[in-house]
């Protein structure tokens, strides 16, 4: 038995509602300045995606520079205002791992933010962009000696140490240079964010951070976190700035940040008292969520800032301590929604899938699911296969009055898991040559991109004031072959 079920498919997940208008953009998934023109073509700052495709090809990451700058300013202004009476404001570090190139690094600096890096390569981008060392931080659970030396060469503002072994290595390298390394200790406060297991980073059983649990070292009654504080204060080549935590990613509610902040403040106060030291800084990490689908409900920065400030204020008052200088590390929340990926549709096919009948006791019914293949895939967006991440999509090259059809947007790679958008309603007349746009791809898409199946990685176009320019050139076949040393270049 088969049925079309009035266009509402029982195969769709419960959260996926049938849109009132398939041609309408659903906020807040899109950057400011993205809209449909009278011809139904998606535009950004007035530039039609058809023109972008003609000039730059597809797949293509399309970013609003103005939207990026606005979101960066919003974080800086909101957190400065919320913490003004507590610690004079907040140091906002843009998490470069989400997406980094020299243009973005320059925007970050121009908007008054600092930059968080996680490797020597990201430090190299920062240096090329002219970012001053004191405005940089270096993360990473396994920094090489070369990366630590590079950070010291650049006089970075802080090295975030992830383990006791690394603390000893940083101290030894700095001592050998006759220098003092500015260090923060990354702790795991045991606050579990409601997110995918692989992006929840504050629980104990994972690679990041120093445990605050008392039985986390062989030394009875001493946590790894406290052992690190004691060690850091004993090294003449280390200046211990303070503590750091990061509880996960794609978090919508501020409660977890508040709980983690309170735990770290209590630990900070205990360490200051026990070791007669001052820890002047506390970093509460990032992980603020964005809207990938219509049901996602991100909080505005001001709301998150005020909730976190209330906890810091009350906890410091209760403990009778001077509030440390607070810092945060938003990445996705700044860049994620600034960008959409533009694809061209290729092949299409419809399959039949069994599902329980809608009436009680009814036998299984087969329903249609359409596969819409595009000219990119997991090489430009690995998040669905890595994290089961959900996205949305819209027909970008025209309007349509066709009926909605449950669709799965897939890539062109030789993997069954090569899914770009698992479930979305698209017009039934979508055809080869149409353009699709997937919003919310600014974070961790280009950054995780690959050359699987020898596909060239897409370029990134920044649009501002009606003008588009490449900020990252798309790769060519020549780029792919240049590193292949098997046959001499002819």
């Amino acid at each position: 038995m088969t049925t079309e079920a009035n266009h509402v498919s029982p195969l769709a997940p419960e959260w996926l509602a049938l849109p009132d208008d398939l041609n309408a953009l659903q906020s807040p998934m899109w950057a400011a300045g993205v809209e449909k023109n009278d011809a139904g073509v998606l535009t950004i700052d007035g530039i039609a995606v058809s023109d972008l495709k003609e000039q730059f090809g597809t797949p293509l990451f399309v970013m609003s520079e103005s939207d990026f700058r606005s979101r960066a300013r919003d974080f800086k202004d909101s957190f400065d205002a919320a913490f003004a009476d507590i610690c004079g404001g907040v140091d906002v570090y843009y998490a470069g791992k989400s997406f980094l190139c020299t243009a973005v690094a320059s925007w970050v600096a121009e908007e008054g933010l600092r930059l968080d890096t996680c490797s020597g390569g990201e430090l190299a981008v920062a240096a090329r962009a002219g970012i001053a060392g004191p405005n940089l931080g270096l993360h990473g659970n396994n920094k090489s000696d070369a990366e630590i030396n590079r950070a010291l060469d650049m006089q970075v503002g802080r090295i975030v140490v992830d383990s006791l072994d690394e603390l000893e290595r940083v101290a030894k390298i700095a001592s050998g240079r006759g220098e003092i390394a500015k260090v923060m200790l990354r702790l795991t406060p045991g606050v579990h964010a409601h997110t995918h297991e692989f992006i929840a980073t504050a629980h104990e059983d994972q690679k990041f951070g120093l445990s605050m649990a008392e039985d986390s070292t062989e030394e009875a009654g001493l946590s790894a976190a406290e052992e690190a504080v004691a060690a850091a204060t004993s090294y003449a080549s280390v200046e211990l700035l303070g503590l750091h935590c990061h509880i996960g990613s794609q978090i919508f509610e501020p409660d977890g940040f508040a709980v983690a902040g309170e735990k770290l403040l209590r630990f900070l106060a205990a360490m200051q008292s026990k070791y007669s030291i001052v820890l002047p800084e506390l970093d509460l990490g990032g992980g603020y969520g964005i809207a990938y689908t219509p049901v996602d409900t991100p909080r505005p920065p001001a709301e998150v800032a005020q909730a976190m400030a209330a906890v810091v204020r009350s906890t410091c008052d209760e403990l009778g301590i001077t509030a440390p200088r607070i810092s945060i590390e938003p990445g996705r929340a700044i860049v994620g929604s600034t960008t959409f990926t533009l694809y061209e549709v290729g092949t299409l096919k419809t399959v039949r899938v069994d599902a329980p009948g809608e009436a009680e006791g009814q036998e299984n019914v087969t329903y249609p699911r359409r596969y819409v293949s595009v000219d990119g895939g997991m090489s430009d967006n690995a998040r669905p296969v890595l994290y089961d991440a959900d996205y949305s999509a819209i027909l970008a090259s025209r309007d349509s009055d066709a009926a909605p059809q449950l669709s799965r947007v897939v890539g062109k790679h030789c993997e069954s898991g090569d899914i770009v958008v698992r479930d979305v309603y698209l017009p039934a007349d979508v055809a080869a040559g149409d353009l699709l746009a997937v919003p919310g791809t600014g974070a961790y898409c280009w950054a995780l991109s690959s050359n699987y199946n020898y596909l060239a990685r897409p370029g990134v176009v920044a649009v501002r004031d009606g003008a588009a320019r490449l900020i990252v050139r798309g790769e060519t076949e020549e780029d792919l072959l240049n590193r292949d040393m098997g046959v001499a270049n002819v």
Side-chain angles (χ1 to χ4, degrees), residues 49-51 53 58 342-345 394-398 431 433-437:
V49 293
S50 51
D51 293 337
K53 193 265 183 185
T58 55
L342 188 66
Y343 298 103
E344 183 174 356
V345 175
I394 195 168
L395 177 60
S397 49
R398 60 183 174 87
D434 280 330
L435 298 178
L436 294 186

Side-chain angles (χ1 to χ4, degrees), residues 459-471:
V460 183
V461 168
V463 178
R464 186 180 185 185
D465 299 331
R469 73 185 195 281
L470 277 174
I471 58 173

Side-chain angles (χ1 to χ4, degrees), residues 75-92 257-258 261 265 282 284 288 301-314 316 323-328:
F75 265 96
K76 180 62 176 164
D77 293 347
S78 296
F79 274 80
D80 273 348
F83 283 84
D85 66 315
I86 303 173
C87 56
V90 168
D91 296 321
V92 180
F257 301 113
L265 282 168
L282 175 63
L284 296 177
Y288 317 106
E303 183 178 326
V304 178
Q306 290 160 10
M308 292 170 64
V311 170
V312 171
R313 184 184 294 109
S314 62
C316 288
R325 177 73 176 185
I326 300 296
S327 53
I328 59 168

